[in-house]
Amino acid sequence: MRQDPDGPYLRSGQVAERAGVNPQTLRYYERRGLIAEPARGPGGHRAYPPDTVTLLTVIKAAQRLGFTLDEVAELLDTGRRGHPTSDLRARAQAKIAEVDAKIVDLTTIRTALGQVVSAGCDSLTHCTCPDCPLPFADLARGPAPEESRPT
Amino acid sequence: MRQDPDGPYLRSGQVAERAGVNPQTLRYYERRGLIAEPARGPGGHRAYPPDTVTLLTVIKAAQRLGFTLDEVAELLDTGRRGHPTSDLRARAQAKIAEVDAKIVDLTTIRTALGQVVSAGCDSLTHCTCPDCPLPFADLARGPAPEESRPT
DNA sequence: TTGCATCCGGTACCCAGGTACAGGCTTAAC
DNA sequence: GTTAAGCCTGTACCTGGGTACCGGATGCAA
């Protein structure tokens, strides 16, 4: 049933479009070690096997689960070579703890915002509302506003 | 009861220490318009009024509530000049919606991670577990892993 | 064969919220 | 008086995950 003896290889633009990512992102992931260097056509153009699209989907899903690209690269790597280990499971459990902590934190924040609204605060520094809950001095010492991490 | 006719001004290091921030951050906030340019001593050193420490606490709390520095700057500004408005309240309500959405999203992720663990997945791409829930193809299309925003 | 879309590699830039460093002054303690 | 700590300005760098731009080469269709 094969139609093309050399396989139905895809060009970078096709892979990118099917996976819903920017073509530049493919080269970026290649540099980061997330996808293997693909074969090249005679003119030097990348020729991707079709399952690269699926791989990208997996990567995007893992990102959504809270893994960084470095972590995804590692997970893919341990998955590729060597027998299955419980590594993924352990990492997933650790992520669950992170996510739970984040949910707790957001819930605290939600509560505080609710207080601002229901008390009718009108200024961060010179609020005129009665029983003003501001300035949430204790809140300031919470976890830093985590930059540059998904989830 | 005043002890010093020139006021008990603080130097940048003192303010930074009491507010628990890096001294560089003070200058950064000054550039960003979050704190006013303070008076200077004879040698050019900044002399801060003591309530700057409180102001920093308020800024940090607002950040924790999910406001960006630009938003905090605006809120402080509208609070400073002009009469109290319902601006803060409206913005707080909008943030509540954002926070709620984020909690929902994290809950979805938590569920997915829980499935990975309970199914015993051992590989992102070649999982050998029965009824493997991977690769969560639908998850890949969710909200992008929000970079560079607090909350 | 001509013309345009696509791809190539390399490099620079984007976001937010800071942090660090260099080279020179000031201030406080001894 | 000396010395160290602290502060000054300006500029560059950091994180993470990409995106954009450049000049040049290739691929494909009419």
Side-chain angles (χ1 to χ4, degrees), chain B residues 11-14 27 40 44-46 147:
Chain B
R11 312 169 66 195
S12 56
Q14 294 175 308
R27 300 208 296 121
R40 300 291 184 124
H45 288 195
R46 287 172 179 79
E147 283 329 296

Side-chain angles (χ1 to χ4, degrees), chain B residues 119-140:
Chain B
C121 297
D122 49 28
S123 164
L124 281 181
T125 46
H126 302 94
C127 187
T128 61
C129 81
D131 304 320
C132 185
L134 290 169
F136 295 125
D138 49 332
L139 207 63

Side-chain angles (χ1 to χ4, degrees), chain A residues 22 24-25 28-29 43 60 63 68-69 148:
Chain A
N22 189 306
Q24 312 268 40
T25 303
Y28 178 64
Y29 282 0
K60 286 294 171 195
Q63 267 192 295
T68 65
L69 288 186
S148 64

